[in-house]
Amino acid sequence: MIASPYPHPPVTPPAGHPRLMLRASDLPRVRQNIERFPTAAKLWQTLCGTPLVKTGAMPEYGTYHLRDYLILEARALALLLDPDAVAARTLIDDLREALAGFTVLQGYMGARWGGHLIFTAAEIYDWCYGALTEEDKAAIIAACERIAGDTFEMGYPPARQMAISGHGGEAQLLRDLLSLAIAVYDERPDIYEFCAGRLFAEYVPEYNALFAAGISPQGPSYGAYRYTC
């Protein structure tokens, strides 16, 4: 458990699953969109059927391979739309293998690659929640905390770096750990208390002031990327 120095967040995750990026009430619209965009749907279906590489795309990437994470995400969405206990067990085992074996060279890209795996794990945790055992839940959370602690420049818990300048304004907190915190809120509300607590206490007022001023301290190379995060 981690202790938060921030006030209790004014917004907390809703009860039930799924709740990361969509709710059960959104699933009919997701199915409609799959029918409306056949090219994208075909790519998604291709990913679902593509075998995992389970090795890094380049030697310096450690075990990180973008395609593997996209495959895991695609399969998680398929199971959210059409649950299957056997396929869910296979997906969860593949995720746990990826988490347990994750290695990466030290450096800022390690935070991005490790964060991407944490984000993918959060999606699977939330979208396949009914297929998780208690042992699965504990192992996935522990592995994500370890990867964040090993690779994140913000540290874990994410107390370092700045809100509107530097890598603290990127995905480490704003996508990866926030996604994990939402997914595991039932089991570990302390992660959300810290992550969302910092967002509401520091990021919201600082970005409100930045937007009101009509300026950007990011520079042309980083501005778009960080505002996307």
Side-chain angles (χ1 to χ4, degrees):
M1 304 289 282
I2 57 177
S4 173
Y6 306 105
H8 178 73
V11 176
T12 55
H17 297 271
R19 61 185 176 217
L20 181 58
M21 298 192 289
L22 78 171
R23 304 296 307 281
S25 58
D26 297 312
L27 296 182
R29 183 160 56 90
V30 173
R31 293 186 176 95
Q32 290 173 0
N33 286 338
I34 290 172
E35 296 295 327
R36 291 177 59 206
F37 301 101
T39 302
K42 183 178 180 180
L43 175 59
W44 165 59
Q45 291 161 357
T46 298
L47 281 170
C48 287
T50 301
L52 296 171
V53 178
K54 298 186 178 181
T55 58
M58 298 285 286
E60 62 268 27
Y61 287 13
T63 60
Y64 179 75
H65 199 303
L66 172 62
R67 189 174 68 180
D68 273 3
Y69 294 8
L70 296 179
I71 291 168
L72 294 173
E73 181 181 46
R75 289 163 56 191
L77 177 59
L79 288 167
L80 178 60
L81 295 170
D82 187 15
D84 179 283
V86 174
R89 183 69 261 162
T90 301
L91 174 60
I92 293 164
D93 289 344
D94 284 340
L95 170 65
R96 290 188 56 178
E97 182 181 353
L99 288 166
F102 179 79
T103 59
V104 69
L105 298 179
Q106 292 298 314
Y108 74 94
M109 289 306 295
R112 293 177 179 173
W113 296 335
H116 189 186
L117 181 53
I118 291 171
F119 173 60
T120 304
E123 291 178 311
I124 295 171
Y125 192 106
D126 181 55
W127 297 353
C128 301
Y129 187 80
L132 296 171
T133 66
E134 293 304 311
E135 199 271 336
D136 289 329
K137 296 174 186 176
I140 291 169
I141 294 170
C144 289
E145 290 187 299
R146 173 185 59 79
I147 291 169
D150 288 346
T151 66
F152 278 18
E153 297 154 296
M154 298 186 75
Y156 184 80
R160 299 199 294 265
Q161 302 254 322
M162 305 291 289
I164 59 174
S165 180
H167 293 164
E170 296 185 1
Q172 293 176 49
L173 174 60
L174 297 179
R175 183 193 67 180
D176 304 328
L177 284 177
L178 183 60
S179 295
L180 178 69
I182 292 168
V184 308
Y185 184 71
D186 297 340
E187 291 73 35
R188 290 286 306 277
D190 58 302
I191 300 176
Y192 185 85
E193 289 287 328
F194 192 104
C195 293
R198 185 176 181 192
L199 287 175
F200 283 107
E202 292 184 9
Y203 284 64
V204 171
E206 291 191 26
Y207 271 97
N208 282 343
L210 181 68
F211 296 150
I215 61 171
S216 172
Q218 305 288 359
S221 297
Y222 283 98
Y225 181 79
R226 289 185 180 150
Y227 286 128
T228 297
C229 292

